[in-house]
Amino acid sequence: MRSLLFLLILAIGAVVGLGLTWVTTVNGYGPGLVRSGPWETWPRAGTETADPYARAALARAGELPLELADGIAFVAATDSAGRALDGRCDIRISGSLPQARFWTLTLTDAQGRLIDNAAERGGFTSAEVVWNRDGTLDVVLGPRARAGNWLPTGARDRVTLAFRLYDTAVGLANRTSDAPEMPRIVTEHCPWERSS
């Protein structure tokens, strides 16, 4: 009887432990999250000091993270007001970026896949984007083509953004108080909203 009770407790412990690990890693890489508005990053995920949750999330996703010496990746699935990024809407990314030698901005669907489109554009790099005169960035996401820095969303109901900053000092600080200022993300118009 005692051995059955021991096996039951062992099974319950394994299920609870694995369940908590899955919940912790399903939306990110566990503890160590740094936020800057809607942008999220896990600076230590690609380092030797990565915690076991980050290692489990990376193994499950099959991702190769950036090492801090190389750069840092910020991900956003919501706008600055907390609304989920909806590719059927017009969304604007604007503002300043932290200093970096090079950066990329990539738009994907909710599963992390690039969105097929006639423009054959899945993102921008710092070398090809058109900057504002004051040195700020202005990129529009939406289902309809427009002039300037436009990324086609394919009218997907959920989209995700990834900003990767290469050769930057941002990743060297691991404390949450050191989150850099990142561009704002504003949902400007959705087809089902009335214009006022």
Side-chain angles (χ1 to χ4, degrees), residues 91-176:
I91 302 166
R92 184 173 302 273
I93 305 165
S94 59
S96 301
L97 283 170
Q99 288 293 321
R101 183 178 304 268
F102 184 77
W103 58 258
T104 62
L105 172 65
T106 309
L107 175 70
T108 63
D109 64 15
Q111 287 75 40
R113 297 179 301 239
L114 292 175
I115 298 169
D116 288 330
N117 60 79
E120 295 184 1
R121 178 167 294 282
F124 285 105
T125 69
S126 53
E128 63 190 1
V129 74
V130 178
W131 294 89
N132 295 329
R133 287 182 183 215
D134 62 359
T136 58
L137 181 69
D138 195 38
V139 175
V140 176
L141 318 174
R144 291 167 302 284
R146 31 170 77 191
N149 299 323
W150 168 66
L151 285 177
T153 61
R156 298 296 196 310
D157 60 345
R158 292 287 177 265
V159 294
T160 303
L161 291 163
F163 242 124
R164 291 173 183 85
L165 305 171
Y166 297 94
D167 197 9
T168 180
V170 170
L172 301 177
N174 291 331
R175 298 184 310 271
T176 55

Side-chain angles (χ1 to χ4, degrees), residues 13-123:
V15 167
V16 169
L18 290 172
L20 288 174
T21 300
W22 182 81
V23 167
T24 303
T25 61
V26 74
N27 289 322
Y29 304 108
L33 170 68
V34 175
R35 287 181 196 245
S36 179
W39 301 97
E40 299 178 337
T41 188
W42 289 263
R44 289 183 272 174
T47 67
E48 292 178 0
T49 61
D51 61 70
Y53 295 107
R55 292 173 194 245
L58 290 167
R60 182 177 48 78
E63 294 179 19
L64 184 61
L66 291 174
E67 173 67 44
L68 279 178
D70 297 329
I72 192 165
F74 287 86
V75 177
T78 65
D79 66 12
S80 296
R83 291 173 59 178
L85 295 178
D86 191 323
R88 299 170 292 183
C89 303
D90 294 325
I91 302 166
R92 184 173 302 273
I93 305 165
S94 59
S96 301
L97 283 170
Q99 288 293 321
R101 183 178 304 268
F102 184 77
W103 58 258
T104 62
L105 172 65
T106 309
L107 175 70
T108 63
D109 64 15
Q111 287 75 40
R113 297 179 301 239
L114 292 175
I115 298 169
D116 288 330
N117 60 79
E120 295 184 1
R121 178 167 294 282

Side-chain angles (χ1 to χ4, degrees), residues 2-23:
R2 285 185 179 175
S3 61
L4 241 105
L5 182 60
F6 175 74
L7 288 175
L8 178 64
I9 291 171
L10 187 63
I12 290 171
V15 167
V16 169
L18 290 172
L20 288 174
T21 300
W22 182 81
V23 167

